Amino acid sequence: MRRVQGRPMGSRAVAVLLLATSFLVAVADPAEARRRGHARKAVSGYNPPYAAMVVDVKSGRTLHAVNEDALRHPASITKVMTLYMLFEQLEKGRYELDSPLTISANAAAQAPSKLGLRPGSTISVEDAIKALVTKSANDIACAIGENIAGSEPRFAEMMTRKAKALGMSRTHYANASGLPDPDQITTAHDLTILARAIQDRFPRYYRYFQTRSFAFRGRVIGNHNHLLGNVEGVDGIKTGYTRDSGFNLMTAAKLGDRQIVAIVLGGKSGASRDRIMADLVRANLPRAYAGARQTAPVVEVAERGRPAVIAEAGSRTRTEIASADNEDDAVETTSSTSTAPLDIRPATTTPGMRRGNLQALPAAAQAYAGPANQAPFPSANGKSTARLPAVEGVASRAEGPPKDARGESAKAVTPTPWVIQLGAMDDEDKAKSILADARSRTGALSKASPYTVRVTHGGATLYRARFSGFAEQGAAQDACTALKKNGFNCFATRS
Protein backbone atom coordinates (compact mmCIF):
# COMPACT_ATOMS: atom_id res chain seq x y z
CA MET A 1 0.00 0.00 0.00
CA ARG A 2 1.21 3.46 -0.82
CA ARG A 3 2.52 5.40 2.21
CA VAL A 4 2.25 9.16 2.81
CA GLN A 5 4.89 10.58 5.14
CA GLY A 6 5.57 7.12 6.43
CA ARG A 7 1.92 6.20 7.15
CA PRO A 8 -0.41 3.95 5.11
CA MET A 9 -2.95 5.75 2.95
CA GLY A 10 -6.52 4.68 3.77
CA SER A 11 -9.01 3.49 1.12
CA ARG A 12 -10.99 6.71 1.43
CA ALA A 13 -7.90 8.80 0.73
CA VAL A 14 -7.05 6.60 -2.25
CA ALA A 15 -10.52 7.14 -3.70
CA VAL A 16 -10.22 10.92 -3.27
CA LEU A 17 -6.81 10.88 -4.92
CA LEU A 18 -8.08 8.87 -7.91
CA LEU A 19 -11.05 11.20 -8.36
CA ALA A 20 -8.79 14.24 -8.29
CA THR A 21 -6.42 12.64 -10.77
CA SER A 22 -9.29 11.88 -13.18
CA PHE A 23 -10.45 15.48 -12.95
CA LEU A 24 -6.99 16.83 -13.69
CA VAL A 25 -6.60 14.54 -16.69
CA ALA A 26 -9.92 15.71 -18.11
CA VAL A 27 -8.98 19.36 -17.61
CA ALA A 28 -5.52 18.82 -19.03
CA ASP A 29 -6.84 17.17 -22.17
CA PRO A 30 -9.53 19.42 -23.64
CA ALA A 31 -9.06 17.78 -27.03
CA GLU A 32 -10.30 14.50 -25.59
CA ALA A 33 -13.26 16.27 -24.02
CA ARG A 34 -14.07 17.89 -27.34
CA ARG A 35 -13.73 14.56 -29.12
CA ARG A 36 -16.23 12.94 -26.78
CA GLY A 37 -18.61 15.85 -27.13
CA HIS A 38 -18.33 15.71 -30.90
CA ALA A 39 -19.01 12.00 -30.92
CA ARG A 40 -22.21 12.52 -28.95
CA LYS A 41 -23.27 15.33 -31.26
CA ALA A 42 -22.56 13.30 -34.39
CA VAL A 43 -24.85 10.49 -33.27
CA SER A 44 -27.78 12.54 -32.03
CA GLY A 45 -30.42 13.24 -34.68
CA TYR A 46 -28.03 12.63 -37.55
CA ASN A 47 -29.47 10.76 -40.52
CA PRO A 48 -27.91 11.67 -43.88
CA PRO A 49 -29.41 10.04 -46.98
CA TYR A 50 -27.55 7.00 -48.31
CA ALA A 51 -26.46 6.24 -51.88
CA ALA A 52 -23.90 3.86 -53.34
CA MET A 53 -22.67 2.43 -56.62
CA VAL A 54 -19.98 -0.04 -57.75
CA VAL A 55 -18.88 -0.30 -61.40
CA ASP A 56 -16.63 -2.85 -63.09
CA VAL A 57 -14.05 -0.71 -64.91
CA LYS A 58 -13.22 -3.25 -67.63
CA SER A 59 -16.75 -4.24 -68.59
CA GLY A 60 -18.68 -1.14 -67.54
CA ARG A 61 -21.14 -3.40 -65.73
CA THR A 62 -22.90 -2.11 -62.62
CA LEU A 63 -22.21 -4.52 -59.77
CA HIS A 64 -24.15 -2.70 -57.05
CA ALA A 65 -26.44 0.34 -56.99
CA VAL A 66 -28.63 2.03 -54.38
CA ASN A 67 -30.11 5.49 -55.01
CA GLU A 68 -27.33 6.00 -57.53
CA ASP A 69 -29.16 8.75 -59.46
CA ALA A 70 -30.49 10.66 -56.44
CA LEU A 71 -29.00 14.11 -55.85
CA ARG A 72 -26.45 14.39 -53.07
CA HIS A 73 -23.91 16.90 -51.80
CA PRO A 74 -20.39 15.70 -52.74
CA ALA A 75 -18.52 17.48 -49.91
CA SER A 76 -14.75 17.16 -50.41
CA ILE A 77 -15.05 14.56 -53.16
CA THR A 78 -15.42 17.81 -55.11
CA LYS A 79 -11.64 18.08 -54.90
CA VAL A 80 -11.27 15.16 -57.31
CA MET A 81 -12.67 17.42 -60.04
CA THR A 82 -10.51 20.30 -58.79
CA LEU A 83 -7.46 18.08 -59.23
CA TYR A 84 -8.73 16.86 -62.61
CA MET A 85 -8.69 20.48 -63.75
CA LEU A 86 -5.21 21.03 -62.30
CA PHE A 87 -3.87 17.84 -63.91
CA GLU A 88 -5.20 19.13 -67.21
CA GLN A 89 -3.19 22.34 -66.77
CA LEU A 90 -0.08 20.28 -66.02
CA GLU A 91 -0.68 18.21 -69.13
CA LYS A 92 -1.02 21.36 -71.24
CA GLY A 93 2.25 22.72 -69.86
CA ARG A 94 0.74 25.79 -68.22
CA TYR A 95 2.11 24.63 -64.86
CA GLU A 96 4.97 22.45 -63.69
CA LEU A 97 4.96 20.50 -60.43
CA ASP A 98 7.25 23.13 -58.88
CA SER A 99 5.23 26.11 -60.16
CA PRO A 100 4.07 28.43 -57.34
CA LEU A 101 0.39 29.01 -56.61
CA THR A 102 -0.43 32.26 -54.81
CA ILE A 103 -2.70 32.26 -51.76
CA SER A 104 -5.23 35.10 -51.84
CA ALA A 105 -6.97 36.63 -48.84
CA ASN A 106 -10.13 34.86 -49.95
CA ALA A 107 -8.38 31.49 -50.10
CA ALA A 108 -6.75 32.03 -46.71
CA ALA A 109 -10.16 32.82 -45.20
CA GLN A 110 -11.73 29.47 -46.18
CA ALA A 111 -13.16 27.31 -43.41
CA PRO A 112 -11.19 24.27 -42.17
CA SER A 113 -9.90 21.77 -43.01
CA LYS A 114 -6.98 23.92 -44.23
CA LEU A 115 -3.21 24.34 -44.25
CA GLY A 116 -3.56 27.85 -42.87
CA LEU A 117 -1.23 29.66 -45.27
CA ARG A 118 -1.14 33.45 -45.11
CA PRO A 119 -2.36 35.76 -47.89
CA GLY A 120 0.41 36.48 -50.35
CA SER A 121 2.29 33.27 -49.61
CA THR A 122 2.76 30.53 -52.19
CA ILE A 123 2.66 26.77 -52.40
CA SER A 124 4.04 24.56 -55.16
CA VAL A 125 1.65 22.70 -57.43
CA GLU A 126 2.91 19.35 -56.16
CA ASP A 127 2.44 20.30 -52.52
CA ALA A 128 -1.01 21.64 -53.39
CA ILE A 129 -1.93 18.28 -54.90
CA LYS A 130 -0.76 16.43 -51.79
CA ALA A 131 -2.55 18.92 -49.52
CA LEU A 132 -5.86 18.16 -51.24
CA VAL A 133 -5.36 14.40 -51.26
CA THR A 134 -4.34 14.11 -47.61
CA LYS A 135 -5.44 17.14 -45.59
CA SER A 136 -8.33 17.97 -47.93
CA ALA A 137 -7.28 21.60 -47.50
CA ASN A 138 -10.05 24.00 -48.47
CA ASP A 139 -7.75 27.03 -48.65
CA ILE A 140 -5.54 25.25 -51.17
CA ALA A 141 -8.51 24.05 -53.26
CA CYS A 142 -9.74 27.65 -53.47
CA ALA A 143 -6.25 28.85 -54.40
CA ILE A 144 -6.01 26.29 -57.20
CA GLY A 145 -9.27 27.53 -58.66
CA GLU A 146 -8.29 31.18 -58.38
CA ASN A 147 -4.88 30.63 -59.97
CA ILE A 148 -6.33 28.68 -62.89
CA ALA A 149 -9.46 30.74 -63.61
CA GLY A 150 -8.92 34.09 -61.90
CA SER A 151 -11.71 33.54 -59.40
CA GLU A 152 -13.31 30.58 -57.66
CA PRO A 153 -16.80 31.19 -59.16
CA ARG A 154 -15.35 31.13 -62.67
CA PHE A 155 -13.42 27.98 -61.81
CA ALA A 156 -16.64 26.36 -60.54
CA GLU A 157 -18.26 27.14 -63.89
CA MET A 158 -15.32 25.46 -65.63
CA MET A 159 -15.71 22.43 -63.35
CA THR A 160 -19.40 22.16 -64.18
CA ARG A 161 -18.74 22.35 -67.91
CA LYS A 162 -16.08 19.68 -67.56
CA ALA A 163 -18.50 17.46 -65.66
CA LYS A 164 -21.07 17.77 -68.42
CA ALA A 165 -18.42 17.02 -71.07
CA LEU A 166 -17.53 13.81 -69.20
CA GLY A 167 -21.19 12.76 -69.07
CA MET A 168 -21.78 13.74 -65.43
CA SER A 169 -25.18 15.14 -66.37
CA ARG A 170 -26.53 15.68 -62.86
CA THR A 171 -23.48 17.36 -61.34
CA HIS A 172 -23.12 21.07 -60.63
CA TYR A 173 -20.23 22.76 -58.83
CA ALA A 174 -20.39 26.03 -56.92
CA ASN A 175 -16.89 25.99 -55.42
CA ALA A 176 -13.58 24.15 -55.64
CA SER A 177 -13.51 22.70 -52.13
CA GLY A 178 -16.85 21.09 -51.42
CA LEU A 179 -17.69 23.46 -48.58
CA PRO A 180 -21.47 23.70 -48.10
CA ASP A 181 -23.46 25.31 -50.90
CA PRO A 182 -27.01 24.39 -51.93
CA ASP A 183 -25.96 24.37 -55.59
CA GLN A 184 -23.10 21.89 -55.06
CA ILE A 185 -24.72 18.61 -56.14
CA THR A 186 -23.91 15.30 -57.76
CA THR A 187 -24.97 11.65 -57.79
CA ALA A 188 -23.21 8.39 -57.01
CA HIS A 189 -23.54 7.46 -60.68
CA ASP A 190 -21.87 10.67 -61.84
CA LEU A 191 -19.02 10.16 -59.39
CA THR A 192 -18.27 6.69 -60.78
CA ILE A 193 -17.71 8.42 -64.13
CA LEU A 194 -15.27 10.88 -62.56
CA ALA A 195 -13.47 8.08 -60.68
CA ARG A 196 -12.82 6.28 -63.97
CA ALA A 197 -12.07 9.41 -65.98
CA ILE A 198 -9.31 10.73 -63.75
CA GLN A 199 -7.51 7.36 -63.91
CA ASP A 200 -7.98 6.99 -67.67
CA ARG A 201 -6.94 10.56 -68.49
CA PHE A 202 -4.13 11.12 -65.98
CA PRO A 203 -2.45 7.82 -65.01
CA ARG A 204 0.78 9.72 -64.30
CA TYR A 205 -0.84 11.99 -61.73
CA TYR A 206 -3.41 9.57 -60.34
CA ARG A 207 -0.65 8.04 -58.19
CA TYR A 208 -0.92 11.05 -55.86
CA PHE A 209 -4.21 9.65 -54.56
CA GLN A 210 -2.20 6.79 -53.06
CA THR A 211 -0.31 9.21 -50.79
CA ARG A 212 -0.69 8.07 -47.18
CA SER A 213 1.10 11.00 -45.55
CA PHE A 214 2.44 14.39 -46.57
CA ALA A 215 5.38 16.23 -44.99
CA PHE A 216 4.87 19.99 -45.21
CA ARG A 217 6.99 22.61 -43.47
CA GLY A 218 7.75 20.54 -40.41
CA ARG A 219 4.36 18.84 -40.21
CA VAL A 220 3.42 15.32 -41.22
CA ILE A 221 -0.18 15.18 -42.44
CA GLY A 222 -1.96 11.82 -42.70
CA ASN A 223 -4.52 10.83 -45.31
CA HIS A 224 -8.18 10.78 -44.24
CA ASN A 225 -8.70 7.70 -46.43
CA HIS A 226 -8.18 4.91 -43.90
CA LEU A 227 -8.88 2.15 -46.43
CA LEU A 228 -5.48 2.72 -48.04
CA GLY A 229 -3.24 -0.09 -46.87
CA ASN A 230 -6.02 -1.72 -44.88
CA VAL A 231 -8.30 -3.16 -47.57
CA GLU A 232 -6.68 -5.33 -50.21
CA GLY A 233 -6.69 -3.77 -53.65
CA VAL A 234 -7.70 -0.23 -52.64
CA ASP A 235 -5.41 2.35 -54.25
CA GLY A 236 -7.33 5.66 -53.79
CA ILE A 237 -9.08 7.99 -53.99
CA LYS A 238 -10.99 10.61 -51.82
CA THR A 239 -13.09 11.13 -48.71
CA GLY A 240 -15.65 13.85 -48.04
CA TYR A 241 -17.75 15.16 -45.18
CA THR A 242 -20.14 17.96 -44.31
CA ARG A 243 -23.06 17.79 -41.92
CA ASP A 244 -25.66 17.65 -44.68
CA SER A 245 -23.76 15.27 -46.97
CA GLY A 246 -22.79 12.75 -44.33
CA PHE A 247 -19.56 10.81 -44.71
CA ASN A 248 -18.69 10.20 -48.36
CA LEU A 249 -16.02 8.10 -50.04
CA MET A 250 -14.85 7.54 -53.62
CA THR A 251 -12.75 4.40 -53.93
CA ALA A 252 -10.80 2.65 -56.67
CA ALA A 253 -9.58 -0.90 -56.21
CA LYS A 254 -7.51 -3.22 -58.35
CA LEU A 255 -6.48 -6.80 -57.67
CA GLY A 256 -4.78 -8.88 -60.32
CA ASP A 257 -6.66 -8.28 -63.56
CA ARG A 258 -9.84 -7.03 -61.90
CA GLN A 259 -10.66 -3.37 -61.30
CA ILE A 260 -13.63 -1.50 -59.84
CA VAL A 261 -14.63 1.98 -58.74
CA ALA A 262 -17.07 2.44 -55.87
CA ILE A 263 -18.96 5.33 -54.30
CA VAL A 264 -20.56 5.56 -50.84
CA LEU A 265 -22.47 8.72 -49.90
CA GLY A 266 -24.22 9.55 -46.65
CA GLY A 267 -22.48 7.43 -44.02
CA LYS A 268 -23.37 8.21 -40.42
CA SER A 269 -19.72 8.27 -39.42
CA GLY A 270 -16.33 7.83 -40.98
CA ALA A 271 -16.00 4.39 -39.44
CA SER A 272 -19.41 3.15 -40.62
CA ARG A 273 -18.81 4.52 -44.12
CA ASP A 274 -15.44 2.76 -44.23
CA ARG A 275 -17.04 -0.54 -43.14
CA ILE A 276 -19.68 -0.24 -45.86
CA MET A 277 -17.06 0.51 -48.50
CA ALA A 278 -14.80 -2.30 -47.35
CA ASP A 279 -17.73 -4.71 -47.60
CA LEU A 280 -18.54 -3.48 -51.11
CA VAL A 281 -14.95 -3.84 -52.29
CA ARG A 282 -14.52 -7.31 -50.84
CA ALA A 283 -17.84 -8.50 -52.24
CA ASN A 284 -17.55 -7.01 -55.73
CA LEU A 285 -13.87 -6.95 -56.69
CA PRO A 286 -13.75 -10.76 -57.10
CA ARG A 287 -16.82 -10.51 -59.36
CA ALA A 288 -15.23 -7.98 -61.73
CA TYR A 289 -14.23 -9.01 -65.24
CA ALA A 290 -10.64 -10.25 -65.47
CA GLY A 291 -10.23 -10.28 -69.26
CA ALA A 292 -9.17 -7.54 -71.64
CA ARG A 293 -10.92 -4.21 -71.15
CA GLN A 294 -14.18 -4.08 -73.08
CA THR A 295 -15.02 -0.42 -72.47
CA ALA A 296 -13.34 2.59 -73.98
CA PRO A 297 -11.61 5.03 -71.64
CA VAL A 298 -13.85 7.77 -70.28
CA VAL A 299 -13.26 10.80 -72.49
CA GLU A 300 -14.79 14.21 -72.81
CA VAL A 301 -17.52 14.79 -75.37
CA ALA A 302 -19.24 17.90 -76.61
CA GLU A 303 -21.20 19.49 -73.82
CA ARG A 304 -24.75 18.24 -73.82
CA GLY A 305 -27.68 20.30 -72.65
CA ARG A 306 -30.16 18.98 -70.10
CA PRO A 307 -32.92 20.65 -68.09
CA ALA A 308 -31.69 21.61 -64.67
CA VAL A 309 -33.60 21.47 -61.43
CA ILE A 310 -32.43 21.44 -57.86
CA ALA A 311 -33.98 22.42 -54.58
CA GLU A 312 -32.74 25.72 -53.26
CA ALA A 313 -32.15 27.43 -49.97
CA GLY A 314 -34.76 29.91 -48.97
CA SER A 315 -32.33 31.64 -46.63
CA ARG A 316 -28.71 31.43 -45.59
CA THR A 317 -29.20 32.36 -41.97
CA ARG A 318 -28.35 28.99 -40.42
CA THR A 319 -24.66 28.39 -39.59
CA GLU A 320 -24.48 24.83 -38.36
CA ILE A 321 -22.57 23.18 -41.20
CA ALA A 322 -19.44 21.23 -40.38
CA SER A 323 -16.27 22.08 -42.25
CA ALA A 324 -15.62 19.96 -45.29
CA ASP A 325 -13.72 16.76 -44.63
CA ASN A 326 -12.57 17.49 -41.09
CA GLU A 327 -13.63 13.93 -40.38
CA ASP A 328 -11.62 13.20 -37.28
CA ASP A 329 -13.18 16.22 -35.56
CA ALA A 330 -16.56 16.29 -37.27
CA VAL A 331 -18.36 19.05 -35.40
CA GLU A 332 -20.75 21.88 -36.10
CA THR A 333 -19.16 25.25 -36.78
CA THR A 334 -20.26 28.79 -37.56
CA SER A 335 -17.70 29.31 -40.28
CA SER A 336 -19.90 28.75 -43.32
CA THR A 337 -23.38 29.19 -44.65
CA SER A 338 -26.24 26.75 -44.50
CA THR A 339 -26.96 24.15 -47.13
CA ALA A 340 -30.61 23.78 -47.91
CA PRO A 341 -31.59 20.15 -48.16
CA LEU A 342 -32.45 18.95 -51.62
CA ASP A 343 -35.59 16.90 -52.02
CA ILE A 344 -33.40 13.86 -51.51
CA ARG A 345 -35.48 11.14 -50.00
CA PRO A 346 -33.67 8.04 -51.33
CA ALA A 347 -34.84 6.82 -54.71
CA THR A 348 -35.03 3.37 -56.21
CA THR A 349 -32.67 2.22 -58.92
CA THR A 350 -33.67 4.11 -62.04
CA PRO A 351 -35.82 1.95 -64.35
CA GLY A 352 -34.45 1.25 -67.79
CA MET A 353 -30.80 1.63 -66.87
CA ARG A 354 -28.48 -1.32 -67.33
CA ARG A 355 -27.95 -3.12 -64.05
CA GLY A 356 -26.18 -6.44 -63.84
CA ASN A 357 -26.56 -8.86 -60.95
CA LEU A 358 -27.29 -6.17 -58.39
CA GLN A 359 -26.52 -7.18 -54.83
CA ALA A 360 -28.52 -6.44 -51.73
CA LEU A 361 -27.36 -3.51 -49.63
CA PRO A 362 -24.72 -4.62 -47.10
CA ALA A 363 -26.12 -5.17 -43.63
CA ALA A 364 -23.94 -2.38 -42.29
CA ALA A 365 -25.61 0.06 -44.68
CA GLN A 366 -29.24 -0.91 -44.28
CA ALA A 367 -29.78 1.39 -41.32
CA TYR A 368 -28.92 4.40 -43.47
CA ALA A 369 -31.11 3.67 -46.48
CA GLY A 370 -34.48 5.33 -46.13
CA PRO A 371 -37.74 4.58 -47.95
CA ALA A 372 -37.25 4.23 -51.69
CA ASN A 373 -40.30 6.06 -52.92
CA GLN A 374 -39.29 9.16 -54.80
CA ALA A 375 -37.41 9.69 -58.06
CA PRO A 376 -34.49 12.14 -58.07
CA PHE A 377 -34.56 15.45 -59.83
CA PRO A 378 -32.59 16.13 -63.01
CA SER A 379 -29.34 18.04 -62.86
CA ALA A 380 -28.39 21.66 -62.34
CA ASN A 381 -26.69 23.61 -65.12
CA GLY A 382 -26.35 27.00 -63.49
CA LYS A 383 -26.62 29.15 -60.40
CA SER A 384 -29.96 30.53 -59.38
CA THR A 385 -30.78 33.82 -61.03
CA ALA A 386 -33.80 34.60 -58.87
CA ARG A 387 -33.65 34.47 -55.08
CA LEU A 388 -36.47 36.90 -54.30
CA PRO A 389 -39.46 35.61 -56.25
CA ALA A 390 -43.10 36.54 -55.87
CA VAL A 391 -45.21 34.29 -53.65
CA GLU A 392 -48.08 32.37 -55.14
CA GLY A 393 -50.76 30.12 -53.74
CA VAL A 394 -50.52 26.42 -54.52
CA ALA A 395 -52.26 26.26 -57.86
CA SER A 396 -53.27 23.68 -60.43
CA ARG A 397 -52.08 24.04 -64.01
CA ALA A 398 -55.67 23.75 -65.17
CA GLU A 399 -57.52 27.02 -65.69
CA GLY A 400 -59.88 28.19 -63.01
CA PRO A 401 -59.55 29.15 -59.34
CA PRO A 402 -56.27 27.99 -57.82
CA LYS A 403 -56.50 25.01 -55.52
CA ASP A 404 -54.61 24.42 -52.30
CA ALA A 405 -53.05 21.14 -51.19
CA ARG A 406 -56.46 19.74 -50.18
CA GLY A 407 -58.14 20.63 -53.45
CA GLU A 408 -60.05 23.59 -52.00
CA SER A 409 -60.20 27.02 -53.59
CA ALA A 410 -57.09 28.80 -52.38
CA LYS A 411 -56.51 32.35 -51.35
CA ALA A 412 -53.17 34.05 -51.75
CA VAL A 413 -50.96 33.08 -48.82
CA THR A 414 -49.16 35.82 -46.90
CA PRO A 415 -46.00 34.20 -45.53
CA THR A 416 -45.46 34.46 -41.79
CA PRO A 417 -42.05 35.53 -40.43
CA TRP A 418 -40.92 31.89 -40.49
CA VAL A 419 -41.82 29.21 -43.03
CA ILE A 420 -40.67 25.67 -43.77
CA GLN A 421 -39.59 24.37 -47.17
CA LEU A 422 -39.78 20.74 -48.29
CA GLY A 423 -38.02 21.08 -51.64
CA ALA A 424 -38.16 22.68 -55.08
CA MET A 425 -39.85 20.77 -57.90
CA ASP A 426 -39.64 21.07 -61.67
CA ASP A 427 -43.43 20.77 -61.83
CA GLU A 428 -46.03 22.62 -59.76
CA ASP A 429 -48.18 19.50 -59.46
CA LYS A 430 -45.27 17.74 -57.78
CA ALA A 431 -44.92 20.59 -55.31
CA LYS A 432 -48.64 20.49 -54.62
CA SER A 433 -48.55 16.73 -54.18
CA ILE A 434 -45.72 16.74 -51.64
CA LEU A 435 -47.46 19.48 -49.67
CA ALA A 436 -50.69 17.50 -49.58
CA ASP A 437 -48.85 14.34 -48.57
CA ALA A 438 -46.92 16.15 -45.84
CA ARG A 439 -50.04 17.72 -44.36
CA SER A 440 -52.01 14.47 -44.40
CA ARG A 441 -49.24 12.66 -42.49
CA THR A 442 -48.20 15.39 -40.06
CA GLY A 443 -50.64 16.74 -37.50
CA ALA A 444 -48.33 19.66 -36.71
CA LEU A 445 -49.26 21.17 -40.08
CA SER A 446 -53.03 21.17 -39.54
CA LYS A 447 -53.09 24.97 -39.19
CA ALA A 448 -50.24 25.71 -41.59
CA SER A 449 -50.90 27.18 -45.03
CA PRO A 450 -49.31 25.47 -48.05
CA TYR A 451 -48.05 27.55 -50.93
CA THR A 452 -45.52 27.51 -53.75
CA VAL A 453 -42.86 29.98 -54.79
CA ARG A 454 -42.00 30.04 -58.48
CA VAL A 455 -38.34 30.71 -59.29
CA THR A 456 -36.09 30.53 -62.32
CA HIS A 457 -32.96 28.45 -61.87
CA GLY A 458 -30.45 27.86 -64.67
CA GLY A 459 -33.10 28.54 -67.28
CA ALA A 460 -35.60 26.13 -65.70
CA THR A 461 -38.71 26.99 -63.69
CA LEU A 462 -38.91 25.52 -60.20
CA TYR A 463 -41.66 25.51 -57.59
CA ARG A 464 -40.63 25.67 -53.96
CA ALA A 465 -43.01 23.70 -51.73
CA ARG A 466 -43.54 25.62 -48.49
CA PHE A 467 -45.77 25.93 -45.44
CA SER A 468 -46.54 29.27 -43.81
CA GLY A 469 -48.01 29.80 -40.35
CA PHE A 470 -45.04 30.14 -37.98
CA ALA A 471 -44.42 33.34 -36.07
CA GLU A 472 -41.33 32.03 -34.29
CA GLN A 473 -38.31 30.06 -35.40
CA GLY A 474 -38.90 27.43 -32.73
CA ALA A 475 -42.40 26.64 -33.98
CA ALA A 476 -41.15 26.22 -37.54
CA GLN A 477 -38.31 23.96 -36.42
CA ASP A 478 -40.70 21.86 -34.33
CA ALA A 479 -42.94 21.35 -37.37
CA CYS A 480 -39.92 20.45 -39.45
CA THR A 481 -38.85 17.90 -36.84
CA ALA A 482 -42.30 16.33 -37.02
CA LEU A 483 -42.02 16.17 -40.82
CA LYS A 484 -38.64 14.47 -40.63
CA LYS A 485 -40.06 11.82 -38.32
CA ASN A 486 -42.57 11.05 -41.09
CA GLY A 487 -39.89 10.66 -43.75
CA PHE A 488 -39.76 14.18 -45.22
CA ASN A 489 -36.72 16.42 -45.61
CA CYS A 490 -37.29 20.08 -44.77
CA PHE A 491 -35.72 23.18 -43.29
CA ALA A 492 -37.00 26.26 -41.47
CA THR A 493 -36.21 29.65 -42.96
CA ARG A 494 -37.22 33.28 -42.73
CA SER A 495 -39.83 34.20 -45.32
Side-chain angles (χ1 to χ4, degrees):
M1 178 177 292
R2 183 178 176 183
R3 304 179 68 86
V4 179
Q5 295 181 347
R7 289 177 296 177
M9 181 180 289
S11 59
R12 183 176 181 181
V14 171
V16 171
L17 179 61
L18 290 174
L19 180 62
T21 301
S22 299
F23 174 77
L24 290 173
V25 169
V27 172
D29 191 3
E32 174 65 13
R34 287 196 302 270
R35 185 191 68 78
R36 292 177 180 176
H38 298 170
R40 288 193 298 270
K41 186 177 293 185
V43 172
S44 177
Y46 185 58
N47 188 29
Y50 177 82
M53 191 172 187
V54 181
V55 173
D56 182 343
V57 171
K58 287 189 173 182
S59 70
R61 189 165 62 103
T62 298
L63 303 176
H64 174 88
V66 177
N67 303 323
E68 73 278 14
D69 291 311
L71 294 177
R72 299 288 184 263
H73 297 299
S76 279
I77 291 180
T78 295
K79 296 181 177 79
V80 177
M81 179 60 83
T82 300
L83 289 173
Y84 187 103
M85 305 294 287
L86 180 57
F87 294 164
E88 190 173 61
Q89 297 300 312
L90 286 166
E91 188 181 67
K92 291 178 178 178
R94 179 178 175 186
Y95 291 107
E96 301 291 339
L97 288 174
D98 60 355
S99 297
L101 300 174
T102 302
I103 308 300
S104 70
N106 178 56
Q110 296 298 301
S113 178
K114 60 197 292 184
L115 284 187
L117 301 188
R118 294 181 178 180
S121 62
T122 62
I123 185 172
S124 71
V125 166
E126 185 168 30
D127 281 348
I129 294 169
K130 293 177 179 178
L132 262 63
V133 170
T134 58
K135 180 68 173 175
S136 198
N138 297 321
D139 51 351
I140 306 306
C142 179
I144 290 172
E146 291 176 338
N147 278 265
I148 291 176
S151 74
E152 190 177 18
R154 282 197 290 271
F155 184 68
E157 292 174 1
M158 292 171 60
M159 294 168 71
T160 300
R161 289 196 297 270
K162 186 66 65 177
K164 298 299 183 287
L166 289 170
M168 300 168 63
S169 61
R170 299 189 175 192
T171 295
H172 179 271
Y173 293 107
N175 59 55
S177 63
L179 280 168
D181 190 293
D183 291 327
Q184 191 100 346
I185 57 170
T186 190
T187 67
H189 178 264
D190 278 5
L191 291 177
T192 65
I193 296 173
L194 180 58
R196 286 175 286 167
I198 199 165
Q199 296 180 74
D200 289 343
R201 176 78 184 275
F202 306 109
R204 174 186 175 188
Y205 301 120
Y206 174 76
R207 62 183 175 85
Y208 284 109
F209 288 103
Q210 302 170 8
T211 305
R212 298 190 191 180
S213 63
F214 165 48
F216 182 73
R217 300 180 186 177
R219 289 182 287 167
V220 177
I221 301 169
N223 198 320
H224 291 159
N225 188 351
H226 302 302
L227 268 61
L228 282 171
N230 292 313
V231 176
E232 188 177 19
V234 170
D235 61 10
I237 94 171
K238 190 71 188 75
T239 62
Y241 168 78
T242 67
R243 178 175 172 82
D244 280 359
S245 74
F247 291 81
N248 300 341
L249 181 58
M250 173 188 286
T251 291
K254 186 176 183 180
L255 194 59
D257 294 325
R258 306 176 196 274
Q259 185 177 5
I260 61 172
V261 294
I263 307 296
V264 168
L265 305 176
K268 274 194 171 183
S269 68
S272 66
R273 172 207 60 197
D274 290 349
R275 285 194 299 271
I276 294 168
M277 182 62 82
D279 288 345
L280 289 173
V281 170
R282 290 172 181 137
N284 290 286
L285 188 53
R287 301 174 57 233
Y289 181 62
R293 182 163 176 169
Q294 299 175 333
T295 59
V298 178
V299 295
E300 298 167 27
V301 297
E303 186 175 347
R304 62 199 77 178
R306 182 171 181 169
V309 285
I310 67 171
E312 299 179 286
S315 172
R316 294 175 182 255
T317 59
R318 201 179 58 177
T319 54
E320 60 178 16
I321 301 303
S323 301
D325 223 337
N326 231 4
E327 294 188 0
D328 296 329
D329 288 310
V331 59
E332 297 181 28
T333 178
T334 58
S335 61
S336 55
T337 58
S338 152
T339 60
L342 307 169
D343 186 17
I344 48 179
R345 287 179 289 170
T348 57
T349 299
T350 305
M353 297 186 67
R354 183 175 61 178
R355 298 289 179 259
N357 299 326
L358 298 186
Q359 291 183 301
L361 186 65
Q366 291 175 3
Y368 312 140
N373 60 359
Q374 176 146 340
F377 295 124
S379 67
N381 291 330
K383 297 286 289 184
S384 173
T385 58
R387 294 260 180 198
L388 296 172
V391 175
E392 302 174 348
V394 176
S396 168
R397 292 193 172 198
E399 296 182 1
K403 303 289 184 179
D404 69 8
R406 296 165 298 181
E408 301 167 354
S409 294
K411 297 179 180 180
V413 173
T414 301
T416 48
W418 284 86
V419 299
I420 56 177
Q421 180 168 316
L422 281 72
M425 319 302 171
D426 61 341
D427 183 275
E428 191 173 15
D429 290 337
K430 294 178 183 177
K432 181 173 65 173
S433 176
I434 195 173
L435 289 167
D437 189 26
R439 169 176 272 182
S440 68
R441 294 166 56 184
T442 309
L445 297 175
S446 60
K447 296 183 180 180
S449 300
Y451 69 102
T452 62
V453 177
R454 185 171 59 192
V455 298
T456 300
H457 189 108
T461 299
L462 305 179
Y463 297 86
R464 291 172 175 163
R466 290 183 168 185
F467 281 100
S468 177
F470 309 98
E472 303 291 339
Q473 179 181 8
Q477 291 178 335
D478 288 346
C480 202
T481 298
L483 277 166
K484 290 177 179 179
K485 290 180 179 178
N486 286 312
F488 294 91
N489 280 289
C490 66
F491 63 96
T493 181
R494 292 187 182 276
S495 60

